[in-house]
């Protein structure tokens, strides 16, 4: 799993049918409790908003987390962080 902060949204008016209705977010990765210069585009599975810290899964876990498991998804926001302890 990856931690990140939602940086903004990504708008795509034309996409494959299996992704119609999906919301895409631009997420800046968090490593060692700090924002790093690495960004992901992830499908929002939980209604995350800009500025929120989120949990992301990638690969087959992302595809399995989608309602349509045939959707070509490699990154999925699966949780919004309420608190983290280090």
């Amino acid at each position: 799993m990856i931690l990140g902060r939602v940086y903004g949204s990504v708008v795509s008016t034309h996409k494959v049918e299996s992704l119609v209705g999906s919301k895409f977010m631009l997420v800046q990765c968090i490593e060692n409790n700090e924002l790093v210069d690495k960004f992901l585009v992830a499908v929002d599975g939980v209604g995350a908003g800009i500025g929120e810290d989120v949990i992301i899964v990638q690969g087959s876990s992302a595809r399995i987390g989608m309602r349509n498991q045939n959707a070509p998804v490699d990154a999925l926001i699966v949780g919004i962080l309420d608190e983290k302890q280090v």
Side-chain angles (χ1 to χ4, degrees):
M1 291 190 200
I2 297 169
L3 294 181
R5 181 165 296 151
V6 177
Y7 187 80
S9 59
V10 177
V11 178
S12 173
T13 55
H14 298 283
K15 52 190 155 238
V16 296
E17 187 175 327
S18 58
L19 291 176
V20 171
S22 296
K23 182 171 127 186
F24 300 112
M25 304 302 280
L26 183 62
V27 180
Q28 186 172 10
C29 295
I30 297 173
E31 295 177 3
N32 297 320
N33 224 18
E34 292 186 15
L35 291 168
V36 295
D37 194 26
K38 179 180 175 186
F39 291 83
L40 297 170
V41 174
V43 172
D44 184 8
V46 295
I50 294 173
E52 290 187 301
D53 289 346
V54 294
I55 302 167
I56 299 169
V57 294
Q58 287 188 298
S60 62
S61 297
R63 184 180 44 77
I64 290 168
M66 293 287 294
R67 289 186 184 134
N68 179 353
Q69 292 186 6
N70 294 319
V73 173
D74 187 52
L76 176 69
I77 298 172
V78 295
I80 298 172
L81 248 98
D82 295 321
E83 171 183 337
K84 58 185 170 189
Q85 299 175 357
V86 288

